[in-house]
Amino acid sequence: MSRPLIETTPTAPAGIRSLTYAEALNEALREEMRRDPRVFVLGEDVAVWGGGGIFGVTKGLVDEFGPQRVRDTPISEEAIAAVAIGAAVAGARPVAEFMYVDFMGLAMEPIVNQAAKIRYMFGGKARVPVVFRAQQGAGRGNAAQHSQSLEAWFAHIPGLKVVTPSAPADAKGLLISAIRDDNPVVFLEHKALYNLRGPVPEGEFTIPLGVADRKREGRHATFVGVHTMVHKALAAAETLAKEGIELEVIDPRSLVPFDLDTVVASVRKTGRLVVGHEAYERCGIGAEIITQVVTAAFDALDAPPLRLCAKNVPIPYNAGLEAAALPQAEDIVTAVRRLVA
């Protein structure tokens, strides 16, 4: 059963097309495969079986590039990661797809002990230009083993870059940059965003990793959100605006590298900070972001920073319980009211 979570559909400016998040990712892959013959895609059901992956991100690629560059693999996450890493070290630029981030635990040895370490162990002489794509997050009733948000696992490991786009244009620009990067990049999408539609530039379009985007200006509080939390914060900002409270919403877009300067500049303006993500609260990326901001700008804070995260429980299947386990727009409104009171 599919339950729509994000219904935001920004209007495309005149002259700019509107694509879904999934279509924008597909376009990024297609354009990079046309530009660079070293780029290829592998994963479970990405080619013939499944017709473009479980959410259709690789749909049609095998028709244009053939089965040598769009490869279906056995159901073995460790093999997918290890083959991709070997190909990257040998000079290719693979994009490995994992059906669910929840299954990447089976691939942590090659990702953590090989991909993340090789460039350091060879003094920078070896390159590992591999992208590990996966989707994560809740909101569709996929239950405990298919709904987790695990960005903190990868952000903890030196040598890995971690990207989390929340909008179609960001998805395209960041994926192209990730493919061109000479380091391993964990590219985490959100399953509830694949049908989100928004303006996406045509042709060459890249967004540097490590550059945040201010999605909404404000002067009373700063919200830093990951994936769906950006959209929930924008909805909360509309509610708060009716009360005269201006919420600034920042999407970091990549967690490693992290654009601390943009967040600190916002906090120095607003004096208040809320961080939100769907990942479990305990040891989540929110704690790391707050620590970095407090260290850099403690003097600018007028109130203690707050975290809005998933409860520290497995994500439930039941729709009501699932919603209760996740932070919602109403929680953001309540938290910001508390900070500015």
Side-chain angles (χ1 to χ4, degrees), residues 90-340:
R93 288 186 174 272
V95 180
E97 177 177 314
F98 298 90
M99 194 172 284
Y100 286 82
V101 74
D102 312 75
F103 306 154
M104 288 183 72
L106 294 162
M108 291 300 267
E109 198 290 322
I111 293 174
V112 172
N113 283 333
Q114 306 302 329
K117 307 290 192 297
I118 289 172
R119 192 167 189 183
Y120 289 87
M121 294 170 68
F122 285 89
K125 295 179 180 177
R127 298 177 180 178
V128 193
V130 57
V131 177
F132 303 111
R133 282 187 50 243
Q135 53 79 23
Q136 63 174 18
R140 298 181 72 252
N142 291 150
Q145 297 169 320
H146 298 74
S147 300
Q148 298 174 97
S149 292
L150 300 175
E151 65 269 7
W153 283 13
F154 304 102
H156 182 65
I157 303 299
L160 298 178
K161 296 185 178 182
V162 182
V163 181
T164 55
S166 72
D170 293 344
K172 176 181 177 180
L174 290 166
L175 181 54
I176 291 175
S177 293
I179 293 171
R180 296 180 186 180
D181 202 293
D182 284 336
N183 299 285
V185 178
V186 179
F187 196 93
L188 299 174
E189 300 148 20
H190 195 294
K191 61 173 70 65
L193 297 176
Y194 281 127
N195 291 323
L196 174 69
R197 185 170 289 279
V200 179
E202 291 186 70
E204 175 75 10
F205 174 65
T206 61
I207 296 173
L209 307 188
V211 178
D213 186 30
R214 186 178 289 105
K215 299 294 188 186
R216 182 182 175 116
E217 297 273 356
R219 59 191 177 94
H220 294 128
T222 299
F223 186 90
V224 179
V226 178
H227 275 156
T228 54
M229 294 307 296
V230 173
H231 302 278
K232 292 178 181 178
L234 292 172
E238 290 294 323
T239 300
L240 291 164
K242 297 173 184 174
E243 304 171 16
I245 301 172
E246 297 180 14
L247 179 64
E248 182 146 297
V249 180
I250 294 177
D251 180 355
R253 301 195 293 196
S254 64
L255 302 177
V256 182
F258 181 73
D259 185 358
L260 180 62
D261 289 345
T262 293
V263 176
V264 166
S266 177
V267 170
R268 288 200 176 281
K269 178 175 64 174
T270 66
R272 301 168 182 88
L273 173 65
V274 182
V275 180
H277 52 66
E278 277 193 19
Y280 311 123
E281 180 188 69
R282 186 169 56 235
C283 300
I285 196 69
E288 174 65 23
I289 293 172
I290 288 174
T291 298
Q292 290 191 30
V293 172
V294 169
T295 302
F298 179 77
D299 59 308
L301 290 164
D302 295 328
L306 297 177
R307 285 181 292 174
L308 293 175
C309 316
K311 303 291 189 299
N312 293 314
V313 297
I315 303 298
Y317 169 76
N318 175 275
L321 293 177
E322 181 186 46
L326 301 174
Q328 305 296 337
E330 294 78 13
D331 300 316
I332 300 172
V333 171
T334 301
V336 174
R337 284 175 180 158
R338 174 181 160 194
L339 283 184
V340 302

